[in-house]
Amino acid sequence: AKRTGRNQFVFFGNDAQRVSVLDGGMVHDLRLALELDQIDVHYQPIVDLATGRVHKAEALVRWKHPQKGYVPPVEFIPIAEESGLIHAIGNRVLQKAVQTTREWNGVCVDGVLRRISVNRSPREFYGYDGADDWISHMNTQGGCANMLSLEITEGLLLSDHPKVLAQLKQLRAMGMTVALDDFGTGYSSLSYLKKFDIDYIKIDRSFVLDIVDDPADRAIVESIIAMSRKLGIKLIAEGVETQAQAALLAAAHCDFAQGYLYARPMPQQEFLAFVRAAENT
Ligand code: C2E
Ligand code: CA
Ligand code: CA
Ligand code: CA
C-alpha cells in the first residue's frame, strides 16, 4: 500500500486494472452526503437529429458539496463502488430521476412519454439483485418503467455473470429500455449484441470528437451506424459539441445526439424549464 495523501491509500494488485482506492475520510463524507441529501442529479437532453426535438434525457449524479460546490462523479463514483455505497447512491439517483420523469411527463404535449436514462455500474449488478431493487422502487414510488432507461457498459455484458442476463430481461419486460454506453471503447467482441436485447447504442465521445477532420473516426462511426441499423438498434452520439459534427452525424443517419451543442447537464428545475421552452417553440 502506498500513501498518496491525507487518509488515502492506493493498493496495487497484480494488474493495473485492480487498483483499489479507499479513502476513509471520503467514505465517511459520502455516507454523510447521503444523509444530508447532498447527492443531486443533473439532467442532459438527448436530441432527435432529424427533428431537433428532445427525445429523452440522461441523469448524471453530482455531489452538491457545501464547500467544494458540485463534485463530478469521477471524483467519488470509484470510491462509492469500492465501499459499497454505490447501491445507496444509485438508488438515490433512481428515486430523483423517477420524480423528474413524473414532472416532465406532466407537461407532456403530445402524449408521448419521455424517458430519463440512469447509469448503473457493473458493481451494482453483482452479488446483489439490482433488478429487484428497481422493481421495488417502481412499486413504492409509482414510477413507470416506461419512463426510464438504463445505461450499462460493455464490460457488464462481457462479464458473463449469470444474473446479469436475467436482470436485464426482467427490466426490459417491465418496459424499460437499455442503452449500451461508451460503445467502442475497450472491447472488440460484438457477440453480446446478439445475446442481449439492446435498444440503444451510445457511440463514445472519443469517436465523435474528430469526426469532421479524421476520416478514420468517420469510417468507424459510419460502420457502427450501419451495423446498428441492421440490428434494429437506435444510435446516440455522445459529446456532440459543434454544428459540423451534428450535420455529419445526421447525414450518416445517426438517430440521436447528446452534447454541449444542445445543452450541458442541468439541475432539475433548469432542465424542466429548458424542455418546457423547447416544447413551446
Ligand atoms: P457517461 O455516462 O459517459 O456520461 C457522459 C459524460 O459526458 C458526462 O460526464 C457528461 O457531463 C459529459 N458530457 C456530455 N456532453 C458532453 C460534451 O459535449 N463534451 C464533453 N467534453 N463532455 C460531455 P459526467 O457527468 O462527469 O459523468 C461522468 C461519468 O460518471 C459518466 O459517464 C458515468 O460513467 C458516470 N456516472 C454519472 N452519473 C452516474 C450515476 O448516477 N451512477 C453511476 N454508476 N455512474 C454515473
Ligand atoms: Ca451514460
Ligand atoms: Ca458515455
Ligand atoms: Ca463514460
Side-chain angles (χ1 to χ4, degrees):
K2 181 169 166 266
R3 200 174 176 94
T4 58
R6 200 173 147 264
N7 282 338
Q8 185 173 328
F9 293 89
V10 179
F11 299 93
F12 294 95
N14 284 338
D15 53 315
Q17 290 291 93
R18 286 179 48 239
V19 171
S20 141
V21 182
L22 259 184
D23 181 326
M26 183 79 138
V27 173
H28 172 268
D29 288 356
L30 257 182
R31 199 167 275 130
L32 204 63
L34 275 160
E35 265 170 48
L36 299 175
D37 197 23
Q38 293 170 356
I39 299 301
D40 202 1
V41 180
H42 284 186
Y43 301 90
Q44 187 179 32
I46 296 174
V47 172
D48 187 325
L49 274 165
T51 64
R53 298 192 59 183
V54 177
H55 173 64
K56 59 175 181 173
E58 179 175 6
L60 294 156
V61 70
R62 301 286 182 266
W63 177 357
K64 198 174 179 180
H65 195 282
Q67 279 89 43
K68 299 181 204 159
Y70 283 114
V71 180
V74 280
E75 286 180 34
F76 64 90
I77 288 289
I79 291 149
E81 288 175 342
E82 281 296 316
S83 63
L85 283 175
I86 191 69
H87 299 302
I89 290 173
N91 284 333
R92 190 63 59 84
V93 171
L94 179 62
Q95 182 192 337
K96 298 205 172 192
V98 165
Q99 195 239 332
T100 304
T101 60
R102 292 171 83 185
E103 292 209 22
W104 187 10
N105 285 299
V107 298
C108 177
V109 284
D110 52 10
V112 177
L113 293 179
R114 276 73 47 90
R115 292 176 193 265
I116 290 180
S117 60
V118 173
N119 292 281
R120 286 248 134 163
S121 308
R123 293 268 176 129
E124 294 176 77
F125 285 89
Y126 304 148
Y128 183 83
D129 211 331
D132 277 355
D133 224 56
W134 278 52
I135 291 158
S136 74
H137 259 278
M138 295 299 116
N139 294 337
T140 55
Q141 286 190 82
C144 279
N146 63 4
M147 291 183 196
L148 290 169
S149 187
L150 174 69
E151 297 200 5
I152 56 169
T153 52
E154 295 167 90
L156 177 70
L157 304 185
L158 283 175
S159 68
D160 228 17
H161 198 282
K163 266 193 158 179
V164 171
L165 184 63
Q167 288 184 54
L168 290 178
K169 271 208 159 91
Q170 203 179 349
L171 291 169
R172 277 189 93 252
M174 291 168 67
M176 208 163 297
T177 57
V178 176
L180 196 51
D181 209 350
D182 304 339
F183 188 79
T185 61
Y187 301 95
S188 54
S189 162
L190 296 174
S191 56
Y192 54 78
L193 287 177
K194 264 189 352 190
K195 187 164 155 199
F196 297 91
D197 287 323
I198 303 290
D199 302 282
Y200 297 89
I201 281 176
K202 299 190 79 172
I203 306 174
D204 192 68
R205 191 169 72 86
S206 57
F207 299 108
V208 175
L209 194 64
D210 287 327
I211 195 180
V212 175
D213 301 315
D214 189 334
D217 282 344
R218 199 153 61 232
I220 292 169
V221 168
E222 284 168 357
S223 312
I224 296 173
I225 294 171
M227 178 198 66
S228 315
R229 284 173 74 85
K230 281 184 185 149
L231 292 170
I233 302 173
K234 297 280 182 206
L235 252 299
I236 301 169
E238 297 192 287
V240 177
E241 295 184 358
T242 69
Q243 203 69 61
Q245 290 168 333
L248 216 149
L249 289 161
H253 303 292
C254 180
D255 303 291
F256 307 106
Q258 175 181 5
Y260 297 166
L261 173 64
Y262 307 100
R264 292 194 173 244
M266 297 170 273
Q268 190 207 43
Q269 289 310 312
E270 203 181 308
F271 166 74
L272 289 170
F274 178 94
V275 288
R276 271 169 205 150
E279 276 157 8
N280 290 327
T281 52

